Amino acid sequence: MKKLFVMIIIAVILCMGSSLGNADEQFTLRCKINFGDTKDDVKAKEELPIKRQTAERITTESGTVAGIYVHSINYSFDDSGKLVSVLWEKDSKNTLIFDDFSSLSENLCKKYGNPINTDKDINFLIKGAAIEDLQFEMRYLFPIPGYGPLMLNEWTITGDNNKNMKIDLLLYSLGSEDYRLRLSYDIYTDEELALLQEENAAENAKIMNDL
């Protein structure tokens, strides 16, 4: 009986360990939110009120985060319901949004070091949600004067267990006095980066062969 009780306790501990292991705590975000968290985890931890929820995303109400006012924070989940991407959004017709970009960039540098594109132009193949947001706008909206990216800083943070984090801080314009500030955090694996590198190399080789 005692042996059976011990086995049950061990099984419970193993199950708890497996459950807790779903969240990747090496990249802790605001409110102690982690990649791998479920929707319920994020809703329990997030301090801003939740505005809406879909099968793939949770969107917060507006509020002050990291010293700046944002219109929303979007948490995106994979098919298994685990957090894989976070996107902060702020839109403004005031050029003071440039100060918000500078403030976020300065504080991100303090926490993660200089961005990878500080010293030279690096086309890092992993594109986060902030850059995808701009690409969506460029694909579906007609180009107009003053339209396009204005400032971009990118960070890559190498983690353990084949997990890495990409941070994109982007300011772009949709025209005269219509600005979009985006900050995203995305998790990716070494295999995902290697696959993109192979595809990029093959594409470049085809281009060179055509010349």
Side-chain angles (χ1 to χ4, degrees):
M1 185 68 180
K2 182 178 179 181
K3 183 178 180 180
L4 177 61
F5 178 75
V6 172
M7 291 177 65
I8 293 174
I9 293 298
I10 292 174
V12 170
I13 293 174
L14 289 175
C15 289
M16 290 177 62
S18 174
S19 176
L20 292 173
N22 289 330
D24 195 335
E25 297 183 357
Q26 61 180 323
F27 304 121
T28 300
L29 306 174
R30 61 173 263 102
C31 300
K32 297 184 179 180
I33 291 171
N34 297 290
F35 290 113
D37 278 349
T38 65
K39 298 183 186 70
D40 288 339
D41 293 331
V42 171
K43 288 189 293 184
K45 295 177 181 179
E46 176 56 64
E47 297 172 354
L48 293 176
I50 302 303
K51 183 177 182 179
R52 59 181 173 269
Q53 175 180 335
T54 66
E56 299 177 347
R57 176 175 291 190
I58 289 175
T59 300
T60 71
E61 297 279 3
S62 60
T64 299
V65 181
I68 71 166
Y69 178 83
V70 299
H71 287 103
S72 66
I73 298 179
N74 297 285
Y75 295 95
S76 297
F77 302 82
D78 62 15
D79 293 338
S80 63
K82 304 301 182 183
L83 179 66
V84 293
S85 178
V86 181
L87 174 65
W88 301 16
E89 296 182 318
K90 177 172 184 175
D91 304 340
S92 178
K93 295 184 178 298
N94 193 316
T95 55
L96 289 176
I97 198 170
F98 285 79
D99 294 335
D100 292 334
F101 179 96
S102 298
S103 175
L104 287 173
S105 181
E106 179 180 350
N107 288 322
L108 285 166
C109 285
K110 290 178 180 177
K111 186 171 184 177
Y112 298 107
N114 290 332
I116 60 176
N117 55 330
T118 296
D119 299 322
K120 55 184 177 181
D121 183 21
I122 298 179
N123 180 26
F124 195 77
L125 296 175
I126 297 292
K127 306 301 183 185
I131 295 178
E132 290 177 351
D133 183 81
L134 171 62
Q135 292 173 336
F136 176 86
E137 298 281 13
M138 293 178 68
R139 187 180 300 119
Y140 293 103
L141 296 180
F142 291 102
I144 54 181
Y147 171 90
L150 300 174
M151 294 187 288
L152 169 66
N153 281 336
E154 303 173 84
W155 289 262
T156 60
I157 295 86
T158 302
D160 299 323
N161 302 320
N162 192 30
K163 298 290 182 63
N164 310 288
M165 182 169 66
K166 175 73 187 303
I167 303 175
D168 293 323
L169 177 62
L170 172 66
L171 179 64
Y172 66 91
S173 172
L174 295 182
S176 178
E177 297 182 350
D178 191 359
Y179 305 107
R180 302 287 187 269
L181 178 62
R182 302 290 186 262
L183 171 63
S184 61
Y185 301 81
D186 294 85
I187 195 166
Y188 68 94
T189 64
D190 295 335
E191 287 80 8
E192 289 171 332
L193 177 58
L195 178 61
L196 287 175
Q197 290 172 333
E198 291 178 6
E199 293 174 349
N200 188 63
E203 183 177 347
N204 288 338
K206 184 179 184 304
I207 292 173
M208 297 307 295
N209 289 334
D210 288 340
L211 296 176

